[in-house]
Amino acid sequence: MSDTPAQTAPFVVVIDGPSGSGKSSVSRAVADRLGLAYLDTGAMYRALTWWCLDQGVDLEDTDAVTAAAESMPLRMGTDPTDPRVDVGGTDVTAAIRETGISSVVSAVARHLPTRAVLIAAQRECIERCSRPGIVAEGRDLTTVVAPDADVRLLITASEDARLARRARELHGGDGEDAIAATRDQVVRRDRDDSAVASFLEPTDGVRLLDTSELDFETTIAAVLELVERARAGVVDGHGERARSHARE
Ligand SMILES: Nc1ncnc2c1ncn2[C@@H]1O[C@H](COP(=O)(O)OP(=O)(O)OP(=O)(O)O)[C@@H](O)[C@H]1O
Ligand SMILES: Nc1ccn([C@H]2C[C@H](O)[C@@H](COP(=O)(O)O)O2)c(=O)n1
């Protein structure tokens, strides 16, 4: 795959959803199988949180956090097999997943001027992607960052399913204690995050995929089918893109 920017506009797939719905893992797998780039916008908010803590910035101070976003030397890897996140030469890919970041990242994401800085960077990354297209995921991709994307999808799952998935991932099981330890990362975070982004219900034109009863492979297959239909709509030149026919 060439690293030179695509000559034509990239094919853009955007996926939003609540915590633990599976949007990151599904987006990565879909991008990998289709040879597309991958952008994890949540990782950008997490990297900024890491940078603010590293620089001693007060997470409640909108101006200071926004200035930090503007000066942050962030490099987002967009290879779905190795989505590395680098801040000023430090590989923070693992560090930004730690509980210390997860528990405070919503405080950073709630500052609207800060969001504007990251949203501009996300749009640039999507426009300049080094592959024929990109799968970008987060909380406000379908509504704010890329409302004109070729495919717009909201992936969701019941709260119980999401808690169980996250508990298995973080604590190796979904027993009572593991679920209790996971609640803050899923339920409280979604409540805080939904104050500044709309990701609990699909807005007009956004497809909904409820994965509560689907396993990982079936979910990927459903997204791939949606993407292929959209691509066929473009390539076949039937006038309208597949998303125009979609059940919305
Ligand atoms: N359809 C599915 N069935 C079962 N497990 C799934 C499914 N989709 C994802 N998972 C698993 O659920 C966990 C959470 O997935 P993932 O990290 O992709 O969620 P997310 O929506 O990106 O969450 P967050 O926004 O908190 O990062 C992972 O361990 C993933 O492998
Ligand atoms: N487009 C986005 C992406 C993420 N966020 C916020 C909300 C999350 O709590 C945090 C981390 O995201 P995650 O890695 O869990 O997907 O970033 C947002 O506000 N907008």
Side-chain angles (χ1 to χ4, degrees), residues 2-15:
S2 161
D3 271 329
T4 23
Q7 295 298 304
T8 53
F11 185 80
V12 180
V13 179
V14 289
I15 302 181

Side-chain angles (χ1 to χ4, degrees), residues 18-25 139 165-166 169 189 214 219:
S19 178
S21 57
K23 59 190 177 300
S24 305
S25 44
R139 304 291 193 290
R165 287 174 188 172
R166 191 55 96 209
E169 182 184 277
R189 205 149 61 90
L214 304 181
T219 304

Side-chain angles (χ1 to χ4, degrees), residues 23-24 40-43 45-46 97 105-106 109 115 122 137-141 189 193 196-197:
K23 59 190 177 300
S24 305
D40 177 353
T41 62
Y45 287 92
R46 287 172 179 272
R97 302 286 155 202
V105 62
S106 301
R115 297 187 71 80
Q122 289 156 13
E137 51 91 4
R139 304 291 193 290
D140 60 352
L141 277 295
R189 205 149 61 90
D193 294 337
V196 287

Side-chain angles (χ1 to χ4, degrees), residues 112-133:
L112 297 181
T114 306
R115 297 187 71 80
V117 174
L118 293 191
I119 287 167
Q122 289 156 13
R123 287 183 177 144
E124 191 177 336
C125 185
I126 291 170
E127 277 160 26
R128 292 169 173 259
C129 83
S130 59
R131 296 192 179 194

